[in-house]
Amino acid sequence: MDFKILSAKNYSVKLKVTIQSTGKLGFTEATAKALKLSKDSGVKFAMNDKEELFLINCEQCDEDAFKVLKGGDYFSVNTKGLFDNLGLDYKTNNIIFDMIKENNEDMEVYKLLKREKPRK
């Protein structure tokens, strides 16, 4: 019988992103490090037929990607227009996405699982 080891190092970092009240998507320090974000990188968003949201990490920003911005030690992307179009109420609610890595040979893809609670 063949086994595939599911290494703890692949599951020890909780990846998440948060929509800031400005509409920007902010990356935690651990997430930015795991995705190897830089000022040259970008992220793309995709939706499947179930209307599940996905983030695609790109080493280089292209015309379909949101450019990664760096402010101090933190990374973000200007996603206000996207989230407004999707009808996400990030001004009233604190919206956090847990990121689950998807199996994809061509791209680095993460499923975004939404958690929402009222802002204080």
Side-chain angles (χ1 to χ4, degrees):
M1 182 186 297
D2 292 329
F3 289 105
K4 178 182 175 187
I5 300 298
L6 303 174
S7 175
K9 69 181 178 184
N10 294 328
Y11 303 101
S12 61
V13 176
K14 184 174 182 181
L15 302 179
K16 65 180 180 175
V17 289
T18 303
I19 304 176
Q20 301 166 355
S21 61
T22 59
K24 287 184 178 180
L25 188 68
F27 295 84
T28 64
E29 186 176 343
T31 301
K33 189 174 184 177
L35 272 56
K36 299 180 179 104
L37 295 180
S38 73
K39 292 187 278 185
D40 296 326
S41 59
V43 296
K44 296 179 184 179
F45 295 91
M47 195 171 275
N48 64 12
D49 56 354
K50 297 177 189 175
E51 295 194 5
E52 296 170 317
L53 190 60
F54 295 85
L55 180 145
I56 303 166
N57 189 26
C58 307
E59 286 183 26
Q60 295 293 315
C61 191
D62 64 30
E63 65 184 22
D64 292 324
F66 289 82
K67 179 152 182 56
V68 170
L69 308 170
K70 187 170 195 258
D73 292 334
Y74 298 98
F75 291 92
S76 65
V77 290
N78 190 1
T79 48
K80 181 182 182 338
L82 171 68
F83 293 139
D84 286 347
N85 191 338
L86 292 175
L88 297 175
D89 187 6
Y90 53 83
K91 291 182 182 179
T92 306
N93 297 308
N94 194 10
I95 301 174
I96 300 165
F97 293 104
D98 294 315
M99 298 173 61
I100 308 297
K101 188 164 175 78
E102 294 285 307
N103 290 328
N104 188 304
E105 294 178 14
D106 301 324
M107 300 178 283
E108 188 178 349
V109 179
Y110 297 87
K111 184 175 184 179
L112 299 179
L113 302 174
K114 183 172 79 167
R115 291 187 285 138
E116 194 169 352
K117 59 184 177 183
R119 287 193 185 276
K120 294 182 181 181

